[in-house]
Amino acid sequence: MISEDIDEGRELPHEPLEHWGGFIPRPQGFDATRSRSYETVIDDARVAQVFCYTNLLSYRPGDDVLIHASTTATEISIEIRRDEIGSNPVDVIQQIKAPFSLLPADFAANGCGWPVVARWTVPRDLRSGFYLVIARAADGQGNVREHVHGITVLPAKRGARAPVLFILATSTWTAYNDFGGSCHYLADNEPEGLPFAPKLSIHRPWARGFMSLPAGAPRKGYATALEVGAIPRYPASEFATLRGYSRYYANAGWANYDRHFALWAEQNGYNLDYATQTDLHNDPDILEAYRCAVIVGHDEYWTWEMREAVDQYVEKGGRVARFGGNFYWQIRLEDGGTKQICYKKLAKTHDPLMGSTHARRITAEWEDPLVGRPGAATFGLNATWGMYANHGAFAPRGSGGFTIYRPEHWAFTGGNFYYGDILGGSARIFGYEVDGLEYEIRDGLPYPTFKDGAPENLEILAMGLANNREVPHYSTGESLYYSDETDTFTVPRYGADTPENRDRASRGSGMIVHFTRGKGEVFNAGAADWVAGLAARELGTEIVTRNVLDRFSR
Ligand SMILES: [Fe+2]
């Protein structure tokens, strides 16, 4: 199906995608960079298809997991396994009958509405963690088709076996999940006629690549600096289009981000309890049993309530470590957290809270004056002063790491680091989205200007340069993902969207910062690809991560 778009007549070295019920390319010329193909249910029962989702993102031991599925096969099986090194199945449910259901027109906002085909009770003694839920079906020709879903299992007793609560960045996963062609970035046939879906139900399958990935799937960022003279590339987009993975598999999800921290931490002896952002939203007290909370990866979407929970936790003595980037949008959760709302750049014209007494809760940038809650006030950094690095034409030849300015800080202990060193360069941790601050350099050291809500005792330990405008060079074969549209995302730091402000906003930074608040403290290494350093066992990234976890979980 997709093959004719790529290279007519040539056989691809991979199973044809129609077996997957997979991707429908849009009718436009082939361009892996800008391809808008997506995975969906195909209205053809002859195509072998299996998809599933669950009623919630997370469960406690003893809870019933309701599994909803659609398949063209006569029966499916569901395997459940904790995603960890040396993972074994916890359970396999065989011979499940599931009808073949399509996507209703309003599936993005209201869910797929497929029937419950199986119930699985989380064992009372099951260890907290992230569990893959793998649906399998025979296609009638001796092949097995697979769809991978995932659930979070909360601890039976909070904090009893782990001092650290790992909060999964599930709001960002949800935002990018384009199964069926709708997410916070694009939409096919969005009921309100918007170019993206402002309301997203969690009752949708995860698009391929969000829950599991084959080894070697490219990250969004460059694995090595772009060769001088070479045109910018998007290896993840190319891989996604050729192999039938979501165009956003490298942008967000368990497989490419949170998983790398989980595996590294558990292998290195750190006991973690797991929860989702939705758990934090619904139950802010969840933090209280822990010495430390951690969030990692691409971490872009938060609710007011989640921030409130973190701020109060830190005030009372909690420690928060963030190894992630892109703190940008306010969202709202509805229906017990099963529906996520974000009107983004259209909030002023479309968000129903505009003009109400709750206008601060409009789903716009944290930096928007109407919202008036600077992102930096919670995590020390924000997205609008940072943004892009190490992908496409965004600083493709940067150092790949953070330049260290204050090597004497405890976070760098044991690394024998010096002023001017690059941290994590070989693993290219500085990308693909980074968070920064307004800053000035005095006597060779960066200082926050504190005009953007940064906490008053915040120190910038290390930083690097972000570039928020993909400047076309018009080279043969060049195809830019954003071109020059991107600095609209960083303009809100200056207010009005004018050409002058866009130019100023085209430059940004990414930082590692530390500050204390009340009795607690926050460490923030503001790069989505920090986890690439852990996955690659890059020593500098590991040393800093260990120093933070050891101090914060003590
Ligand atoms: Fe992002």
Side-chain angles (χ1 to χ4, degrees):
M1 214 161 262
I2 208 166
S3 59
E4 66 194 29
D5 249 27
I6 293 165
D7 188 352
E8 249 174 310
R10 187 171 66 87
E11 250 194 80
L12 288 172
H14 188 63
E15 62 188 26
L17 287 165
E18 46 269 37
H19 283 214
W20 255 92
F23 279 65
I24 298 186
R26 296 203 179 186
Q28 61 183 58
F30 170 66
D31 179 342
T33 309
R34 287 170 176 264
S35 159
R36 287 169 66 88
S37 57
Y38 56 85
E39 185 183 18
T40 192
V41 185
I42 294 174
D43 187 7
D44 184 347
R46 292 168 305 178
V47 177
Q49 303 179 63
V50 56
F51 300 109
C52 73
Y53 61 89
T54 49
N55 61 319
L56 296 172
L57 293 172
S58 64
Y59 299 87
R60 293 183 186 291
D63 284 353
D64 274 349
V65 179
L66 307 187
I67 301 168
H68 303 251
S70 168
T71 186
T72 53
T74 48
E75 61 179 45
I76 63 172
S77 69
I78 303 263
E79 177 186 306
I80 296 144
R81 61 163 69 222
R82 191 173 192 270
D83 200 359
E84 61 191 351
I85 304 286
S87 164
N88 288 309
V90 174
D91 208 348
V92 183
I93 315 168
Q94 302 281 6
Q95 296 180 321
I96 301 168
K97 301 280 179 206
F100 180 49
S101 308
L102 300 175
L103 297 178
D106 62 347
F107 82 97
N110 296 322
C112 297
W114 297 344
V116 175
V117 300
R119 263 166 215 272
W120 183 68
T121 305
V122 181
R124 294 269 171 203
D125 57 350
L126 197 68
R127 181 177 173 190
S128 178
F130 192 74
Y131 288 76
L132 300 178
V133 176
I134 307 164
R136 294 194 177 97
D139 69 354
Q141 288 152 17
N143 303 310
V144 173
R145 303 299 161 201
E146 213 175 72
H147 172 80
V148 187
H149 180 71
I151 56 171
T152 299
V153 172
L154 302 159
K157 189 169 184 296
R158 288 174 187 171
R161 78 177 289 289
V164 178
L165 182 66
F166 181 28
I167 300 165
L168 305 178
T170 43
S171 302
T172 300
W173 308 357
T174 299
Y176 280 90
N177 177 20
D178 66 335
F179 188 92
S182 288
C183 66
H184 282 342
Y185 293 83
L186 52 75
D188 235 2
N189 305 315
E190 204 285 313
E192 290 186 59
L194 306 182
F196 61 91
K199 297 177 190 157
L200 292 174
S201 167
I202 64 157
H203 297 147
R204 301 175 294 149
W206 290 107
R208 197 177 180 206
F210 275 66
M211 296 291 111
S212 77
L213 282 170
R219 298 190 65 78
K220 182 99 172 163
Y222 291 108
T224 53
L226 188 66
E227 202 180 313
V228 172
I231 54 170
R233 290 276 298 276
Y234 304 85
S237 301
E238 295 166 14
F239 180 90
T241 308
L242 282 164
R243 299 287 167 184
Y245 282 81
S246 166
R247 71 197 296 271
Y248 296 121
Y249 86 82
N251 292 62
W254 162 258
N256 203 35
Y257 290 95
D258 310 62
R259 179 175 192 269
H260 293 303
F261 174 78
L263 265 52
W264 178 88
E266 293 186 351
Q267 251 194 326
N268 282 274
Y270 296 99
N271 278 327
L272 308 175
D273 276 352
Y274 291 66
T276 67
Q277 281 185 273
T278 303
D279 296 310
L280 180 66
H281 173 93
N282 287 338
D283 182 5
D285 295 341
I286 193 170
L287 294 171
E288 272 172 22
Y290 298 93
R291 296 195 197 123
C292 168
V294 178
I295 189 153
V296 308
H298 190 178
D299 175 31
E300 180 172 349
Y301 294 83
W302 279 64
T303 64
W304 188 278
E305 291 83 355
M306 294 172 195
R307 288 190 63 180
E308 204 65 31
V310 167
D311 287 349
Q312 288 183 15
Y313 171 66
V314 174
E315 191 70 44
K316 287 188 278 187
R319 274 88 168 265
V320 174
R322 181 171 182 266
F323 306 102
N326 206 221
F327 196 79
Y328 195 86
W329 301 105
Q330 168 159 241
I331 55 171
R332 293 192 302 272
L333 293 183
E334 293 179 357
D335 299 344
T338 59
K339 194 185 286 187
Q340 173 167 314
I341 317 292
C342 195
Y343 283 88
K344 308 178 79 172
K345 290 284 178 198
L346 301 178
K348 296 280 175 56
T349 48
H350 288 75
D351 194 320
L353 291 193
M354 267 304 285
S356 77
T357 51
H358 302 294
R360 290 195 79 184
R361 303 292 186 100
I362 61 164
T363 52
E365 302 92 345
W366 291 112
E367 313 314 308
D368 189 294
L370 263 182
V371 177
R373 191 169 189 194
T378 293
F379 283 107
L381 297 172
N382 68 47
T384 59
W385 281 96
M387 212 62 102
Y388 302 108
N390 193 44
H391 71 287
F394 301 111
R397 301 180 182 100
S399 74
F402 289 90
T403 303
I404 296 177
Y405 284 84
R406 291 184 164 89
E408 66 284 1
H409 191 270
W410 57 257
F412 299 120
T413 303
N416 196 19
F417 289 113
Y418 297 95
Y419 176 85
D421 280 359
I422 304 293
L423 179 77
S426 66
R428 300 199 69 81
I429 65 172
F430 191 81
Y432 84 94
E433 291 182 332
V434 295
D435 288 345
L437 287 174
E438 189 183 37
Y439 67 97
E440 54 195 23
I441 300 277
R442 295 198 305 266
D443 304 325
L445 290 172
Y447 295 87
T449 63
F450 298 107
K451 285 188 241 163
D452 48 15
E456 57 187 12
N457 61 33
L458 179 138
E459 255 194 325
I460 300 167
L461 313 182
M463 61 174 282
L465 301 183
N467 166 18
N468 303 329
R469 179 179 286 174
E470 282 199 299
V471 178
H473 288 182
Y474 305 105
S475 313
T476 304
E478 178 187 273
S479 168
L480 300 180
Y481 187 76
Y482 285 109
S483 200
D484 53 0
E485 301 155 25
T486 25
D487 26 41
T488 56
F489 290 104
T490 45
V491 152
R493 64 166 105 136
Y494 298 115
D497 185 358
T498 62
E500 295 73 31
N501 281 344
R502 281 197 184 198
D503 182 61
R504 297 163 77 198
S506 70
R507 294 170 290 275
S509 68
M511 296 176 173
I512 301 177
V513 299
H514 171 247
F515 64 92
T516 59
R517 165 179 297 130
K519 293 180 182 156
E521 61 189 314
V522 176
F523 180 92
N524 190 353
D529 285 336
W530 184 271
V531 291
L534 300 179
R537 304 292 187 265
E538 194 283 317
L539 193 54
T541 315
E542 290 190 293
I543 287 172
V544 173
T545 309
R546 269 200 204 101
N547 285 341
V548 174
L549 291 180
D550 289 349
R551 177 187 169 99
F552 281 12
S553 62
R554 221 167 23 217

